Amino acid sequence: MADASSAMTANRAIPLAGRLTGGPAVTIRPAEPCRRLALRASADAVPLLSAALGIALPVKPKQSAGAKGRVALWLGPDEWLVIDEVGGDPVAECAGVKALHSAVDVSHRNTAILVEGHGAADVLNAGCPQDLSLAAFPVGACSRTLLGKIEIVLLRTGDNSFRLECWRSFSDYAFAFLADAARG
Amino acid sequence: MLLIRCPYCEEERPELEFRGAGEAHIARPADIASVSDEAFEAFFFLRDNPKGITYERWRHMHGCARFFNAVRDTVSDRFVMTYKAGEPKPDAKTIEKARAGA
């Protein structure tokens, strides 16, 4: 992080940096910092925003769409969470879109926890009431839901891997909850 | 756990994600400053408490965050059907059909 651009900006620190836990069936670790965009728009703005972001924003419930380290998660009929892990700036890309929309940078509001291993769904189900079987929640499925007492956004990235997005002030709770659930 | 069908998510989701929001189909007067005290009282405070079918607002608070309406039976506590906000009250025939299907 010694290049010119990082000298101009604040250093990114994630609240769970350096932590790692798990159990016999699962590994739980924080995700790398990334850019996040909370996007609200009506149906007529979706094609323009999709073009600007380079992803076709999913319009069906529980679906995500992604390309090249960037993924858009359907959260509601007019609401998406866009996660960029490759250093792009989705907020800036939306700025040129003339159709009415709201694009808010929430990169540091959220932090993400990666839950991986063949027991990942079971560990999450300790606090998440949704059906996380592959039939009901296939790879690529995403949803805003609950984990214990907090609201999370869950994305299934593989058969046995999930990305859990939560607000950073709740991340310690989420991590401790998962660590507890993962014990042998 | 009770499962509630969200008309926006198009599937049944656990009740923990939802929050009730009172009686549905209560229209706010267009010019609320000009209504009589009695009419305001009826709009603001008075709610039905029927035995049987009720119409309720619910919110998928920890899901898609959308408000929607539900037909619920106060005797069995069952959700008979749910429908999107803004849609008209389902008629008796639709409710009967949904009840038979449930």
Side-chain angles (χ1 to χ4, degrees):
Chain A
M1 297 292 277
D3 56 87
S5 63
S6 70
M8 301 294 289
T9 55
N11 218 3
R12 291 183 172 212
I14 52 171
L16 296 171
R19 291 175 71 173
L20 172 73
T21 187
V26 74
T27 310
I28 299 160
R29 60 192 168 92
E32 292 297 311
C34 61
R35 291 263 194 173
R36 297 177 178 88
L37 165 67
L39 187 61
R40 302 289 305 263
S42 57
D44 54 339
V46 168
L48 290 170
L49 288 165
S50 296
L53 289 167
I55 321 172
L57 291 171
V59 291
K60 286 203 170 134
K62 241 165 92 168
Q63 290 193 348
S64 66
K68 292 180 279 204
R70 179 178 286 189
V71 61
L73 283 63
W74 187 98
L75 296 185
D78 60 0
E79 183 175 5
W80 294 266
L81 175 68
V82 180
I83 300 170
D84 183 296
E85 294 179 293
V86 288
D89 189 352
V91 179
E93 288 165 32
C94 287
V97 174
K98 293 282 179 259
L100 184 65
H101 69 280
S102 154
V104 180
D105 190 327
V106 293
S107 302
H108 302 285
R109 183 193 71 178
N110 285 16
T111 192
I113 300 173
L114 305 176
V115 184
E116 288 157 346
H118 63 88
D122 293 341
V123 167
L124 287 164
N125 271 145
C128 172
Q130 275 203 42
D131 181 355
L132 298 180
S133 65
L134 272 168
F137 208 89
V139 176
C142 62
S143 171
R144 186 155 47 197
T145 180
L146 293 165
L147 179 83
K149 292 193 284 186
I150 63 165
E151 188 174 284
I152 58 164
V153 172
L154 197 60
L155 168 68
R156 189 176 209 135
T157 51
D159 280 6
N160 292 315
S161 56
F162 292 86
R163 180 188 179 93
L164 181 155
E165 290 267 336
C166 66
W167 286 19
R168 65 181 292 140
S169 56
F170 296 159
S171 63
D172 193 46
Y173 171 86
F175 199 83
F177 190 102
L178 292 170
D180 204 21
R183 279 183 307 159
Chain B
M1 189 178 295
L2 194 63
L3 295 175
I4 302 171
R5 183 183 163 81
C6 171
Y8 294 95
C9 293
E10 297 167 6
E11 67 171 2
E12 291 194 327
R13 298 281 280 268
E15 61 171 305
L16 294 179
E17 294 184 0
F18 295 86
R19 209 166 277 182
E23 195 177 329
H25 300 292
I26 293 171
R28 183 185 164 89
D31 182 6
I32 203 153
S34 68
V35 300
S36 67
D37 286 355
E38 290 72 26
F40 182 79
E41 181 197 21
F43 154 72
F44 204 72
F45 295 112
L46 303 186
R47 295 291 178 263
D48 290 336
N49 185 22
K51 181 179 180 184
I53 294 294
T54 57
Y55 301 88
E56 294 176 332
R57 287 164 79 229
W58 281 77
R59 187 177 181 202
H60 195 184
M61 187 77 195
H62 303 297
C64 64
R66 251 18 58 144
F67 280 93
F68 61 93
N69 293 332
V71 180
R72 201 168 59 84
D73 189 326
T74 55
V75 177
S76 63
D77 253 0
R78 271 183 195 285
F79 279 81
V80 177
M81 61 180 290
T82 55
Y83 51 102
K84 290 182 180 177
E87 289 179 1
K89 261 187 189 179
D91 55 24
K93 212 169 140 188
T94 316
I95 292 174
E96 215 38 62
K97 213 172 135 190
R99 210 201 284 250

